[in-house]
Every structure is written in C-alpha cells, then in structure tokens.
Amino acid sequence: MSTKNLEEEADDMMMYCASCGTAEVDDIKLKTCTACKSARYCSVKCQKEHRPQHKRACKKRAAELHDEILFKQPESSYEGDCPICCLPMSLDKTKSTMMACCSKVICDGCYHSNVVRITRGSLEPTCPFCRHPDLKSEEEEINKVMKRVKANDPVAMVQIGLRRNEAGDYDDAFRYLSKAAELGDVGAHYQLAIFYRKGHGVEKDVKKVVYHWEQAAIGGHPIARYNIGIEEEENGRMDRAVKHWIIAAKLGHDYSLDNLKVCFRGGLVTKEDFAAALRAHQAAVDATKSP
C-alpha cells in the first residue's frame, strides 16, 4: 500500500470513534486524544475503555510529536534582534544592556551611538529606545521595573526574579520567574531549570529540570539545548546529544561547536553535518556585528 493510501486511510479513521466506531456527524462531535493526536473519541467513557489498546501506540506517537518540535531548528536565538538596529543580538550578555525604563535589551553598538549623540549635543542622558530620562538611582530603577511587572511584562519579571535570587529570597524569585515562564519568556524557563536543579525554593526535580530546559531550547536558548545534549551524552544517547549540539552551534553557541569538533574526530558526526554547523555558526556570529 502506498504512503498516500495509508494517509487517506488514517484520515478516514479520524472520522470515527476509535473505541465504538461512531461516526462524526452534526450532532456528534469527536474529541482528539491530546497526547498523540492520532485517535478520536465520542465520549470520555469510550476513551477510557480504549486506553489499554491505545496506550502503547499513543505513547510512541506522543514521543515522536515531541521530538519533531524539540529538534526543529529555531530561526534565531531567544535573544532576538536589537529593537533599534534590528541586528541579531549577541549571545554574550556583556554586549547588550537591558533598559529598566522600557525593558528593552539594546546592543552595545546602539547604546554607544546614543552616548555619542548625547555627548556631542550636550543633551540630557536618555534611554536609546524610549528616550526616557536616565534613572538616577537603583531605587528609581527598581520602581520602574516593578511598574513594568505590574503591566505583565515578562522581561521585567525575570529581572526582579534574578534580583530576588541574588538576595537569597528564592521563594519570591521562583514566583516571579514562574509567572514570566507562563507568559512565554524563554529565559525564565532556563532560570527555573536552575532552580529545580539546585533546589532553590523548590525540591530538586530532574524531570522538571529537563522540561524547562526543553521549553527554553525550543524557544531558541542555545545554553539550555547544550545542557540537554550533555544530559543525553551522560545517558548514552549520543545521537540525540549530537542533534542538540548541531542546533545550538547553528545559533552561534561556541561550546556546542567545540563538542561537535570532538564528535567529528570520533566519527560521530558526518563531514557534511559538521561543515554545515560550522558555516551556520560563523554566519550567526557575523550577523551580530555592526557594519
């Protein structure tokens, strides 16, 4: 049977309850299995009755769907682009500045250009993005960030969470980071993985560490993906580790590229895959440089 016929057959099966065979008509709506997306049921009762037969196939398909998402190459790193020059942000945190007034992360080039503009024009110091006057004290800065927090700004929540963490207030830090993660902040997921790994404010939980690393990796966090690769290597799954390092290297992550070099010398990476990762890594790094 051809692949096309198999797909058509699978589509036809999705029109019937996997347990009792009831067809989907106007007055009967079938609900899809949320885990595998490959079976539908007319009622909760039918789903429960069919569970023993469906469990193994469901688990296998759910894992396949998860890997399809996990191993998809992100278009860019979670850092995104500078909101002023629109160039990709460097993975090196020392080459950018987060503005407390508007929660925008500005690349060093644009930040320096703003300083030059202010100096030459003898102007009052302002934010390079929103032009808000420079904040004079740490207290004023915190007040501005808290104002952004109240506006449900996840970037500001992460900043407050990190401040609370540095102060040793792990419970409050965890609360802010959790809220930011719920709002989709990739960096918050990475920080939560650290909390669960170290047991800061929560019990240590390896499964939750991996979950938050994976969420961060899917969102384009190369360090989180590198860490998953290390975890896979320690568990003897080198094929998966290599996949993670290739993706991270293509985002410009140096340590992942270093690991790929070792894997290439050991015959674990093909010449073509290594060359492609090397070219993409260089392109990602070059893209962050101002002309």
Side-chain angles (χ1 to χ4, degrees):
M1 187 179 289
S2 68
T3 302
K4 185 177 180 180
N5 289 337
L6 287 172
E7 289 176 353
E8 290 176 351
E9 184 178 337
D11 289 340
D12 289 341
M13 289 175 63
M14 291 295 283
M15 298 302 295
Y16 301 90
C17 174
S19 180
C20 67
T22 299
E24 183 173 54
V25 291
D26 292 340
D27 58 337
I28 297 177
K29 300 297 181 183
L30 303 181
K31 293 185 177 181
T32 305
C33 174
T34 56
C36 67
K37 317 293 184 188
S38 60
R40 302 181 77 194
Y41 302 97
C42 63
S43 66
V44 174
K45 180 175 178 290
C46 274
Q47 186 171 9
K48 288 181 178 179
E49 289 178 350
H50 191 246
R51 181 62 180 165
Q53 299 168 251
H54 179 60
K55 186 176 180 179
R56 181 178 294 181
C58 179
K59 190 174 182 179
K60 181 183 177 183
R61 182 53 185 156
E64 291 172 351
L65 290 174
H66 175 264
D67 281 358
E68 284 177 15
I69 297 171
L70 181 61
F71 289 111
K72 183 179 180 181
Q73 180 73 44
E75 293 183 4
S76 62
S77 84
Y78 79 107
E79 296 285 0
D81 300 336
C82 172
I84 297 176
C85 67
C86 296
L87 290 176
M89 299 292 290
S90 171
L91 297 180
D92 185 350
K93 292 286 190 180
T94 65
K95 295 182 179 180
S96 61
T97 304
M98 203 282 282
M99 310 307 298
C101 49
C102 56
S103 293
K104 296 297 183 183
V105 180
I106 310 299
C107 74
D108 271 2
C110 291
Y111 189 88
H112 176 69
S113 295
N114 187 55
V115 172
V116 171
R117 179 187 67 84
I118 290 168
T119 303
R120 288 178 177 174
S122 299
L123 306 171
E124 286 293 321
T126 58
C127 168
F129 183 78
C130 69
R131 299 301 190 223
H132 187 283
D134 262 9
L135 305 175
K136 306 299 182 184
S137 65
E138 185 176 356
E139 182 182 358
E140 189 177 356
E141 183 177 314
I142 292 174
N143 288 338
K144 274 292 180 184
V145 176
M146 288 304 298
K147 187 176 180 181
R148 297 296 309 161
V149 168
K150 291 177 181 177
N152 273 343
D153 185 335
V155 176
M157 290 175 188
V158 171
Q159 293 304 310
I160 292 297
L162 294 177
R163 285 174 182 267
R164 296 286 194 271
N165 182 46
E166 290 175 4
D169 187 353
Y170 300 134
D171 290 340
D172 217 23
F174 183 81
R175 182 169 62 85
Y176 279 108
L177 291 170
S178 295
K179 178 63 175 175
E182 288 174 10
L183 293 172
D185 190 274
V186 172
H189 277 293
Y190 177 73
Q191 294 299 329
L192 286 173
I194 295 175
F195 271 61
Y196 280 111
R197 192 174 183 84
K198 294 183 175 180
H200 284 178
V202 291
E203 291 185 10
K204 291 183 179 180
D205 191 324
V206 176
K207 287 185 178 180
K208 288 185 179 179
V209 170
V210 173
Y211 167 77
H212 286 292
W213 272 346
E214 287 184 345
Q215 292 304 305
I218 290 168
H221 200 299
I223 301 176
R225 192 172 286 280
Y226 169 82
N227 289 342
I228 300 173
I230 295 295
E231 191 80 10
E232 295 286 15
E233 180 187 28
E234 291 175 353
N235 290 324
R237 296 190 287 262
M238 280 304 299
D239 56 331
R240 294 176 68 87
V242 166
K243 285 181 182 180
H244 284 299
W245 293 332
I246 287 175
I247 293 172
K250 288 181 177 181
L251 293 175
H253 190 246
D254 294 336
Y255 290 163
S256 292
L257 185 64
D258 290 341
N259 279 13
L260 286 178
K261 290 176 183 177
V262 175
C263 291
F264 175 63
R265 288 196 291 268
L268 298 174
V269 182
T270 66
K271 182 179 180 180
E272 292 75 17
D273 285 344
F274 180 65
L278 193 62
R279 287 193 298 270
H281 174 274
Q282 191 59 54
V285 173
D286 290 344
T288 67
K289 298 176 182 178
S290 298

